[in-house]
Amino acid sequence: MKPVGPDPYVFVPKQGEPRLLFVLLHGESSSPEQLFPLAQAIKLAFPAAAVVLPFGHVQEAGAEVPSMRYSWVATGTEYDKDYASHVRLALPDLIEQITKLQSQYGLFGEETALAGFSQGASMALEASLARPDLAGRVLAFSGLYASRFEAAPPATLLHFFHGAEDTQVSAHDVASTLARLEALQGDATLDVASDLGHEIHEALIRQAIVRLQTCVPLRNWQAALASLQQPEEDAQERTSSGCSGRTLH
């Protein structure tokens, strides 16, 4: 399904060419404006980054300007029965959209981060799994994979941000996902805010910026240790990298 929405919102550096690319994916029945607070925080923290907020590929029936609502996959009882399949069908167009942006700015997966809320988080996670070199990081707010995964993305650091009171996607399911990623030797962190529900809250946005600024991907940490000829067991330690598996605040 080709994109049907308006052109994405695009923010580029005031000076020079972009050195990083952030693609932000809004949630179900929403629009990119939902993620403007996240985009603003990223722009302030990473002034050399291009920040792109595309519209979902499915327009909600009857939606009209100015209340445009979009989703990444169609919703409703008919589609919910096989939601994962519809997500997989939507991935090629999203991946193509992201790779075109990378070509436009001359950037690669290591210089790209995907972020999403709810359904947008699912799309970002599934896209990085379907195309392992697509993004160096994924920031998943209140969202999970659309289906059970059998492998962890080998070159992507995953950051999960969640509200403990989320009734749509439970914090327990997110914790279970982190445990499975760890078992599959994935690279992931989890931050849970105790008093929040299914929302992209300012506290989670602040923590996302902290993760982006301080958390060294495990693959880079291991490579640095290997280059220094440290003992093999040291390559498993991450305390100096600024990353911990779970942070409760």
Side-chain angles (χ1 to χ4, degrees), residues 51-62:
V51 183
V52 180
L53 297 87
F55 285 79
H57 299 167
V58 179
Q59 186 173 8
E60 187 174 291

Side-chain angles (χ1 to χ4, degrees), residues 122-194:
S122 296
M123 294 296 293
L125 290 166
E126 293 287 352
S128 70
L129 194 57
R131 177 75 177 268
D133 63 346
L134 186 65
R137 298 196 191 224
V138 168
L139 287 71
F141 294 85
S142 302
L144 287 174
Y145 289 95
S147 59
R148 180 178 174 85
F149 52 91
E150 300 301 329
T156 306
L157 173 51
L158 308 175
H159 300 294
F160 292 84
F161 306 95
H162 217 77
E165 305 304 319
D166 192 331
T167 58
Q168 296 188 42
V169 182
S170 75
H172 173 75
D173 289 343
V174 181
S176 296
T177 296
L178 262 289
R180 179 159 178 76
L181 284 167
E182 290 172 2
L184 294 170
Q185 299 184 331
D187 194 4
T189 67
L190 170 61
D191 292 281
V192 179
S194 58

Side-chain angles (χ1 to χ4, degrees), residues 14-248:
K14 293 182 178 180
Q15 296 181 343
E17 296 296 322
R19 297 201 296 270
L20 296 169
L21 172 63
F22 288 83
V23 182
L24 314 187
L25 309 178
H26 62 77
E28 174 187 330
S29 298
S30 187
S31 67
E33 287 89 341
Q34 181 185 55
L35 297 182
F36 274 5
L38 177 60
Q40 181 62 24
I42 291 172
K43 287 164 55 184
L44 289 173
F46 303 96
V51 183
V52 180
L53 297 87
F55 285 79
H57 299 167
V58 179
Q59 186 173 8
E60 187 174 291
E64 297 179 355
V65 176
S67 58
M68 293 184 298
R69 295 181 181 275
Y70 294 83
S71 297
W72 296 99
V73 297
T75 57
T77 304
E78 175 186 353
Y79 297 97
D80 291 346
K81 293 178 180 177
D82 198 9
Y83 178 71
S85 294
H86 291 289
V87 169
R88 287 193 293 270
L89 288 173
L91 287 179
D93 289 320
L94 175 61
I95 292 172
E96 180 182 1
Q97 197 170 7
I98 294 168
T99 55
K100 284 183 177 179
L101 288 168
Q102 291 171 333
S103 296
Q104 178 181 344
Y105 296 119
L107 299 173
F108 299 94
E110 289 186 355
E111 301 149 330
T112 301
L114 309 181
F117 171 72
S118 193
Q119 190 184 88
S122 296
M123 294 296 293
L125 290 166
E126 293 287 352
S128 70
L129 194 57
R131 177 75 177 268
D133 63 346
L134 186 65
R137 298 196 191 224
V138 168
L139 287 71
F141 294 85
S142 302
L144 287 174
Y145 289 95
S147 59
R148 180 178 174 85
F149 52 91
E150 300 301 329
T156 306
L157 173 51
L158 308 175
H159 300 294
F160 292 84
F161 306 95
H162 217 77
E165 305 304 319
D166 192 331
T167 58
Q168 296 188 42
V169 182
S170 75
H172 173 75
D173 289 343
V174 181
S176 296
T177 296
L178 262 289
R180 179 159 178 76
L181 284 167
E182 290 172 2
L184 294 170
Q185 299 184 331
D187 194 4
T189 67
L190 170 61
D191 292 281
V192 179
S194 58
D195 297 324
L196 300 183
H198 194 73
E199 56 187 304
I200 182 161
H201 191 273
E202 178 184 353
L204 295 179
I205 292 176
R206 287 198 303 267
Q207 184 62 11
I209 298 302
V210 171
R211 288 296 190 186
L212 288 168
Q213 291 177 327
T214 64
C215 195
V216 178
L218 180 59
R219 62 187 183 278
N220 293 354
W221 184 240
Q222 290 175 329
L225 288 176
S227 69
L228 295 173
Q229 297 182 335
Q230 293 290 334
E232 183 178 348
E233 59 268 22
D234 288 347
Q236 304 302 320
E237 295 182 4
R238 306 184 63 197
T239 54
S240 298
S241 72
C243 269
S244 59
R246 301 186 177 104
T247 298
L248 199 64

